[in-house]
Amino acid sequence: MELFQELQWRGLIDNVTSPEVEDVINNQKITFYIGTDPTADSLHIGHYSSLLMAKRLEKHGHHPIMLVGGATGFIGDPKATGERQMLTKETLEHNFNCLHDQIKKIWGFEMVNNLDWTKNMSVIDFLRDYGKLFNVTYMLNKETVKKRLETGISYTEFSYMILQSLDFLHLYQEKNCVMQIGGQDQWGNITSGLELIRKKCGANTKCYGLTMPLITKADGSKFGKSESGTVWLDAEKTSPYELYQFLFNTEDAKVVEYLKKLTFLSVEEIQKLDKATQEEPHKRMAQRALAEEVVRDLHGQEGLDSALSITNALFRGNLNDLSEQQRRDAMKNMEKVDCENGLILEDVLVKCSIASSKREAREWINGNSISINGEKIKDTHFVVDKENAYVDNYVIVRRGKKRYYCLNLQ
């Protein structure tokens, strides 16, 4: 299977600007770029597929350039739902530096910043040299702009299309970059860049665009910074354990899609895991493979080992086997409950809605079903206070084999 066909099989091709893209990817060695704006200080799981796409092409001999938009970040790519909040110069600079370091550390790609070739451009030069080449009717017909016409769109965001088009032109002229790759929501920006290149460099200039389907959850919503429960690629924001648990809990209906898009597992390996999901879904072999591959790729074997240590400790109830940092990571996914300091265990279980009544609380305690910080407690009058703290003022209650509660003693 050639590379382009494998990308199709993995569901990574949404649209291409020319049938020639297939031959270019399979048989040539080109420079291409993928861009992101520094609207946060870390990439998230929604970006991960694009970064792996760059890696897949690099393995085939193509040269990736990662563009972090220090200039376009000031403007804001138009959203279908409304205007973006403007970020300060200090915030954008901080975010840019964080993204630059993150991408270099994990993937080692060549990095560029579009602020470098736009910061000294005058408004007159921008309008004469580039604005004159964009027809407003053409711009209004772009999908995202269309969606905003009823609610309104600022000139600032309307001009984003022109500003991003300059990126493609600049990289083509300076680095012989002939392809831009982006999410399917970037189709309008990519085709605008191609139009600008042809108008400035000649109608027969060979440049291309490729879009990828957005990674979505089972309910169809996309992963992004504006969505709740963002899964970050930065270990300080989303720990390897949290990432592992997020991926391990992937629905059966989505796990094979994620294996195709988010891992380098071979066609044969994924087909085998697909079969296992259909025949023995309770074993969650595909979910385990997905979680291990992604965590190892992002955080190394050490990060995966830590995630597995926490997972195993929680499964067995051996909480005291964990380091302090692992304890903090383990607590992040637990249900948090504020609790009065110094109550007896029987009252704690009722007041924190762990048990529905004192009778039920006593039954669980006497039945050896309640643990405090990994230790079985059989005394209904055991005092839960800050001296029992697992980390800081937190006490971990385990009910049965799977339910954990993190009590914040007040």
Side-chain angles (χ1 to χ4, degrees), residues 389-400:
Y390 188 62
V391 175
D392 299 331
N393 289 335
Y394 291 102
V395 168
I396 309 302
V397 176
R398 184 192 194 197
R399 191 193 79 194

Side-chain angles (χ1 to χ4, degrees), residues 78-79 83 140 144-145 148-149 151-158:
K79 298 190 299 182
E83 291 281 317
L140 289 173
T144 302
V145 175
R148 289 282 298 280
L149 289 180
T151 57
I153 182 172
S154 69
Y155 179 76
T156 296
E157 290 197 3
F158 185 64

Side-chain angles (χ1 to χ4, degrees), residues 4 16-18 20-25 30-34 53 57 62-65 168 171-172 176-182 190 194 197 206-211:
F4 187 83
V16 295
T17 56
S18 165
E20 297 175 51
V21 170
E22 179 177 345
D23 178 69
V24 169
I25 286 178
I30 63 163
T31 295
F32 66 95
Y33 90 96
I34 296 176
M53 171 69 105
L57 294 175
H62 302 291
H63 178 67
I65 296 175
F168 203 169
L171 292 176
Y172 171 72
N176 193 31
C177 176
V178 298
M179 184 181 293
Q180 181 183 357
I181 296 176
I190 292 173
L194 290 172
I197 289 173
K206 295 292 186 179
C207 285
Y208 314 95
L210 182 155
T211 56

Side-chain angles (χ1 to χ4, degrees), residues 31 83 142 146 165 211 232 305 326 351:
T31 295
E83 291 281 317
K142 296 301 181 181
K146 271 186 180 180
S165 297
T211 56
W232 302 99
D305 289 343
Q326 288 175 330
K351 286 181 178 292

Side-chain angles (χ1 to χ4, degrees), residues 332-351:
K332 289 180 181 178
N333 282 359
M334 293 181 186
E335 184 178 347
K336 305 294 191 304
V337 183
D338 289 337
C339 181
E340 183 181 342
N341 184 51
L343 297 177
I344 63 172
L345 181 57
E346 177 181 308
D347 290 338
V348 166
L349 297 184
V350 176
K351 286 181 178 292

Side-chain angles (χ1 to χ4, degrees), residues 379-397:
D379 180 5
T380 58
H381 288 80
F382 176 86
V383 177
V384 180
D385 59 26
K386 294 180 181 179
E387 292 184 5
N388 311 131
Y390 188 62
V391 175
D392 299 331
N393 289 335
Y394 291 102
V395 168
I396 309 302
V397 176

Side-chain angles (χ1 to χ4, degrees), residues 4 7 11-18 21 25 49-50 53 179-191 208-214:
F4 187 83
L7 297 177
L12 293 172
I13 306 293
D14 171 63
N15 208 348
V16 295
T17 56
S18 165
V21 170
I25 286 178
S49 178
S50 297
M53 171 69 105
M179 184 181 293
Q180 181 183 357
I181 296 176
Q184 64 190 71
D185 56 346
Q186 293 298 307
W187 179 257
N189 290 326
I190 292 173
T191 54
Y208 314 95
L210 182 155
T211 56
M212 303 169 55
L214 300 177

